[in-house]
Amino acid sequence: MENLTACLAALVFLAFAGHRLTLARGGGADPAHRDVAGFALCAGMAMLLNAPAVLGVLERSVSAPCAELLLPWELKAAAGTFLALVALALDPRVGEPVPMRRRRRIGGMAVVVQVAALGLFLGSGVTGDGAYFVAAPGRGPVLAAYNVLFVAYLCWSLCVLARALVRHARETLPGPLRTGLRLAALATATAVVWTLWTLDDAAANITTGRQGLSEDLLSTTLGMLTAVLVAAGATATLWGERISAPLRRLRALRTHRALEPLWAALHTELPEIALDPDAARRPALRQAEFARYRRVIEIRDGILALRPYQRAEVVDRTVRALDGTGLAAVDREAVLEAAIIAAALADRRAGRLYDGAPGRAGPTPSARLETVEDEAAWLVRVARAFTRSPVVRDIRDRARAEVTAD
C-alpha cells in the first residue's frame, strides 16, 4: 500500500510540474510558473524516493541512509525554497517583478540550510541496520537536530506561503481564481501537518538513536492529499468555470422561483410588465440566468407602475408596526417595501390614485445593489416578506378594508 500511495502522490506532483513547465515556456513567462514547477518537481521526486520499490533500485548505487534519509529531505527542503519564492510573487506589496535581492536572500537561506543539514547528517554517523537507521553511539541528538532543522525550514516556508495565499484570496473577487487560492492555502495546511508528522522521528533519535527506514502509510497519505490539493488549486481556473457555471445556473433558477410569488401578484394586476408573454414560467436550467434577469426587470417595472397608487401613510404605519420587532435593518427595509407594494396593489384594484405621494413612499435599501445578483437577492427578501410577514399581511388587510369601506 505504501508503494501505491507514494507513487500516486509522486505522479500527481510530477504531472503538475510538467504542466507548469509547459506554461512557463518562452522568455516572457511569469517566473512564478517556474517556481511552482520547481516545487512540484522536487516534491514529486521526494515522494517517489519514498516508494519502497524505487528505494530498492536506488540502494544498489548509493548507501541506504543517503537514498532514504538524505536525498528525500534535501528535495523537500528545495521544494520549501520554491514555495517561499512563490509567496514573493503573491505579495500584494510588490507591484513590479520581484526584486532579485529578495530572491537571492531566500536562495542564500536555502543554501545555508542545505549545507547545515548535510553537516548534521554526516556528523550523526548514521548507518543502515535492517529496518532502521542507527546513529553513531551518542550522536542520536545530532540526527534529531538534522530532522528538526528540515521540519522548521519547511514549516517556515509553508507559513510564508499560506499567509500570502490568504491575503491574496481576500483581495480577489469570487470566482475560480479565488477558489484556487483557497485550495492552495488548504494544501499548505495539509503540508504542515505532513511535515510535523516527522517529528516523531526526532523523538526516536534522542531516545533510541534510531529511525524507521521509510515513511508510514499516514505520512504518504498526507503527501498524496497535499499533491491533489496543490494540483486542484493551481488548475482551478481551468476546471472552475465548468463547475461554477452549472452552480450559477442552479442559483439563478432557485432565485427565479423564489421571486415567483411577488412577480405573480404584480403580473395579475399588471400583465403588461411581462417582457415576453410566451416565456415559460419555469425556465430550463440553461436559460435560468437570463430568466432571472428578465424577472427582476419585470418586478421593478411593476413596482414603478404602482407608484401613483402608493401612500405615504403606509410607510408610517409599517414603521410603527416594525418598532419593537427586533428585525435587522435590512429585513425591516424589505418588509417596508413589501408592505408598500401590497397596499398599492389593493389601491390599484380600487382605482385609488394619490397625487404627489409617489416620490416619497418608496424606500431605498441600505445595501448597495451593484449587480443583477445583488438586485435579485434584495427582491427575494422583499418577496419573502410579501408572502410571510405578519406586518405585511396586516397592512394588506387594512388597505382592503379601507377599499371596502369606501
Side-chain angles (χ1 to χ4, degrees):
M1 191 65 179
E2 287 84 355
N3 259 321
L4 178 62
T5 54
C7 289
L8 285 176
L11 180 62
V12 173
F13 271 122
L14 294 175
F16 174 62
H19 170 70
R20 287 286 125 175
L21 286 173
T22 301
L23 295 178
R25 287 186 303 180
D30 188 348
H33 285 305
R34 288 189 285 270
D35 294 332
V36 173
F39 156 74
L41 185 63
C42 292
M45 291 301 297
M47 289 299 300
L48 193 61
L49 290 179
N50 287 328
V54 176
L55 285 173
V57 175
L58 188 61
E59 287 175 0
R60 297 173 186 173
S61 54
V62 298
S63 65
C66 289
E68 300 183 38
L69 190 58
L70 180 62
L71 290 179
W73 273 120
E74 296 281 350
L75 286 168
K76 289 179 182 179
T81 302
F82 281 115
L83 288 181
L85 292 174
V86 172
L88 284 182
L90 294 175
D91 192 338
R93 295 171 299 177
V94 180
E96 301 176 354
V98 179
M100 285 305 299
R101 58 184 175 80
R102 301 182 70 185
R103 295 180 65 89
R104 290 194 190 100
R105 191 183 308 156
I106 291 178
M109 183 186 301
V111 171
V112 170
V113 169
Q114 296 277 17
V115 171
L118 180 60
L120 290 171
F121 176 80
L122 297 176
S124 67
V126 64
T127 57
D129 181 17
Y132 294 94
F133 295 120
V134 181
R139 298 185 186 178
V142 179
L143 183 58
Y146 167 79
N147 286 312
V148 170
L149 174 63
F150 272 120
V151 169
Y153 180 69
L154 286 177
C155 286
W156 170 80
S157 302
L158 290 166
C159 289
V160 168
L161 178 63
R163 184 176 60 183
L165 288 170
V166 171
R167 186 169 52 227
H168 201 56
R170 288 174 181 169
E171 299 174 356
T172 304
L173 295 175
L177 178 58
R178 187 174 182 177
T179 300
L181 290 170
R182 288 179 171 177
L183 285 173
L186 182 59
T188 59
T190 307
V192 168
V193 176
W194 177 29
T195 302
L196 290 175
W197 185 253
T198 59
L199 285 178
D200 62 338
D201 291 332
N205 298 153
I206 296 174
T207 57
T208 66
R210 293 188 170 192
Q211 182 172 328
L213 285 178
S214 59
E215 297 192 52
D216 54 25
L217 179 59
L218 178 59
S219 179
T220 54
T221 302
L222 287 171
M224 182 177 179
L225 179 60
T226 302
V228 171
L229 289 173
V230 168
T235 58
T237 53
L238 300 178
W239 56 261
E241 183 60 28
R242 298 180 182 179
I243 294 178
S244 63
L247 293 177
R248 227 176 28 244
R249 292 169 185 162
L250 283 172
R251 288 195 298 268
L253 186 61
R254 187 167 60 247
T255 301
H256 184 275
R257 292 175 179 173
L259 294 172
E260 174 74 18
L262 179 60
W263 179 88
L266 292 168
H267 182 262
T268 300
E269 191 62 36
L270 301 161
E272 64 272 16
I273 66 173
L275 298 176
D276 183 3
D278 298 326
R281 294 284 289 269
R282 294 185 177 274
L285 184 61
R286 296 184 67 86
Q287 288 79 40
E289 290 179 282
F290 179 73
R292 178 192 59 187
Y293 175 63
R294 183 177 58 214
R295 177 149 289 186
V296 167
I297 294 176
E298 292 171 347
I299 290 175
R300 279 306 181 194
D301 286 346
I303 294 173
L304 183 63
L306 289 176
R307 291 185 68 183
Y309 304 93
Q310 294 175 359
R311 288 181 282 164
E313 57 265 30
V314 171
V315 177
D316 298 332
R317 291 175 187 172
T318 306
V319 170
R320 287 195 300 270
L322 287 171
D323 290 340
T325 58
L327 291 176
V330 66
D331 292 324
R332 289 172 61 93
E333 293 164 357
V335 171
L336 180 57
E337 182 163 352
I340 292 173
I341 295 170
L345 284 171
D347 286 333
R348 188 185 187 283
R349 293 189 194 100
R352 301 173 69 181
L353 290 168
Y354 301 93
D355 295 334
R360 296 181 290 122
T364 301
S366 58
R368 297 177 64 185
L369 308 180
E370 298 179 344
T371 65
V372 175
E373 289 79 8
D374 295 338
E375 182 75 18
W378 165 251
L379 290 177
V380 166
R381 286 180 176 272
V382 176
R384 190 178 298 119
F386 185 83
T387 56
R388 301 179 187 177
S389 172
V391 174
V392 175
R393 183 171 59 250
D394 292 342
I395 294 295
R396 183 188 294 114
D397 293 343
R398 184 165 180 174
R400 289 172 178 172
E402 290 174 351
V403 169
T404 303
D406 288 345

